[in-house]
Amino acid sequence: MRAVILVGGLGTRLRPLTNQLPKPLVPIAGEALMSRTLRRLQRQGVRHVILAVQYLAEQFLAAYGDGSAFGLNLQIVQEPEPLGTAGAVRYALAQTKLLDAGPILVLNGDELTDFDVAQLWQAHAQTAGVATIAVREVADTSAFGVVASDEQQRVYAFQEKPAPGTALANTINSGAYVFAPAALAQIPVQGFAMLERDLFPSLLAAQAPIYAYQHSAYSQDIGTLAGYLAANEAVLMGRLPQEPVHGIQYAAGVWAAADAQISPSAQLIAPIMLGSGCVVGENARLERVVAWERVTIEAAASLTNVALASDVLIAHHATVEGLALG
Ligand code: GTP
């Protein structure tokens, strides 16, 4: 299997965590999401990965090089300007001369999941579709892209963030696709184009067969603070057995790097991840906190639902709730 991973977005909703790191390189429980994704894809049988990079592009080359550390053949393609999720796929495949090389797996780079892409690949091979979209059920579709399909799983409609009560289905796009060359040919050769807004509607209008593949694997978009904390929580609480945590576990879901200094009087309420060089002062209270490296939380500070980028200092007695700080 060969995959294009979309990693070129600005990650605006996760700022300031994404001011200096592209979103796919943000650490989840002490390790970059991208490293977790590459390991999973290798485990599932992917051998060739193309990273479609743009924002802070050079960091991907520095971190992953040719992919050999992950047992992958990795190529990195940088767009001259952001081309959108569809434009980026077409550009990356044109640059690597793979536009006509058979089906291609395409993945969003900001999803923590244990979804098995081999199942999606096989499902695609069993249909005559030009595209197969991984979908999953959610109770509330209003924040997502809905994919509505018939009993044969053929897709007949897309809805972006439908108002409550107006959704055509309870299945949403979960950020993994297989495209045949015939679908890729519908993406304009030049300019900005999005998969959801441009490619899928144009395929539907042309009556090209698109299929949905429904799965129930864990899947969490890390693109907002709530999503980022939820993804960390899943790994820290051991809900994804294949995903390691890098640190010592002090209590269920409370993790810290071996060199973190934590006052015995500090109160740590799971999930907690404190990276290398973090310091937590006396009587500080932390609940659902992810701190990267060298973060100092002074005495009696109180933090709830907080993500802290490296080198942040929280002053004594400060109260912080529901914020990402950098
Ligand atoms: P926000 O700015 O917060 O909306 O995030 P984003 O644009 O970084 O991510 P979004 O969730 O909208 O996009 C889904 C995936 O596509 C992410 O992994 C992005 O990195 C990637 N992506 C979005 N736009 C582009 C683009 O123009 N080029 C490339 N190469 N990747 C993109």
Side-chain angles (χ1 to χ4, degrees):
M1 282 183 285
R2 181 179 287 139
V4 172
I5 313 182
L6 291 161
V7 293
L10 296 175
T12 50
R13 291 164 298 154
L14 201 54
R15 286 179 186 159
L17 301 183
T18 47
N19 282 354
Q20 284 159 17
L21 266 188
K23 185 167 51 171
L25 295 191
V26 160
I28 303 294
E31 185 180 22
L33 173 63
M34 191 73 237
S35 302
R36 297 182 180 279
T37 301
L38 292 178
R39 229 180 9 248
R40 171 174 63 90
L41 295 180
Q42 204 279 343
R43 212 165 46 225
Q44 295 174 348
V46 174
R47 292 293 170 263
H48 185 182
V49 169
I50 299 147
L51 295 184
V53 303
Q54 224 288 316
Y55 175 62
L56 299 175
E58 62 291 344
Q59 295 192 30
F60 290 95
L61 185 60
Y64 300 109
D66 64 1
S68 49
F70 287 80
L72 292 166
N73 168 14
L74 185 82
Q75 285 179 286
I76 298 180
V77 178
Q78 181 174 3
E79 297 140 61
E81 63 198 14
L83 292 176
T85 47
V89 172
R90 175 154 192 152
Y91 183 80
L93 291 172
Q95 291 295 307
T96 50
K97 305 205 176 350
L98 291 169
L99 261 179
D100 297 314
I104 183 87
L105 192 62
V106 173
L107 304 170
N108 281 354
D110 57 355
E111 201 83 15
L112 176 73
T113 179
D114 58 1
F115 173 56
D116 184 357
V117 294
Q119 292 177 5
L120 175 66
W121 187 264
Q122 279 157 19
H124 178 81
Q126 283 159 12
T127 71
V130 297
T132 304
I133 305 176
V135 302
R136 63 189 173 91
E137 262 181 24
V138 291
D140 177 7
T141 55
S142 58
F144 299 101
V146 167
V147 181
S149 54
D150 65 17
E151 280 169 8
Q152 278 73 49
Q153 279 74 54
R154 183 156 171 176
V155 175
Y156 62 86
F158 294 93
Q159 281 179 303
E160 200 50 34
K161 301 188 176 78
T166 65
L168 295 169
N170 62 353
T171 39
I172 61 158
N173 177 343
S174 84
Y177 322 87
V178 177
F179 293 111
L184 302 171
Q186 293 293 315
I187 304 171
V189 177
Q190 283 187 334
F192 188 93
M194 297 293 282
L195 291 172
E196 307 84 338
R197 214 182 53 207
D198 302 309
L199 178 62
F200 293 142
S202 83
L203 290 174
L204 273 191
Q207 297 188 334
I210 307 175
Y211 287 89
Y213 173 75
Q214 191 170 332
H215 71 88
S216 55
Y218 175 86
S219 191
Q220 177 65 56
D221 170 349
I222 70 155
T224 60
L225 174 62
Y228 178 66
L229 291 174
N232 276 277
E233 175 167 0
V235 179
L236 296 170
M237 303 302 278
R239 282 183 214 129
L240 294 171
Q242 311 255 40
E243 297 298 339
V245 183
H246 300 274
I248 297 169
Q249 185 164 210
Y250 289 90
V254 175
W255 293 81
D259 65 353
Q261 297 170 45
I262 304 166
S263 162
S265 64
Q267 197 186 348
L268 303 182
I269 302 164
I272 299 284
M273 178 74 216
L274 300 168
S276 178
C278 288
V279 178
V280 180
E282 286 174 13
N283 298 313
R285 182 186 182 283
L286 277 58
E287 179 172 357
R288 275 190 117 227
V289 172
V290 175
W292 296 2
E293 297 187 345
R294 301 173 303 278
V295 168
T296 301
I297 299 164
E298 292 186 344
S302 172
L303 280 66
T304 310
N305 287 323
V306 170
L308 304 169
S310 297
D311 301 302
V312 165
L313 173 108
I314 303 292
H316 60 91
H317 293 89
T319 298
V320 185
E321 277 185 30
L323 273 184
L325 297 174

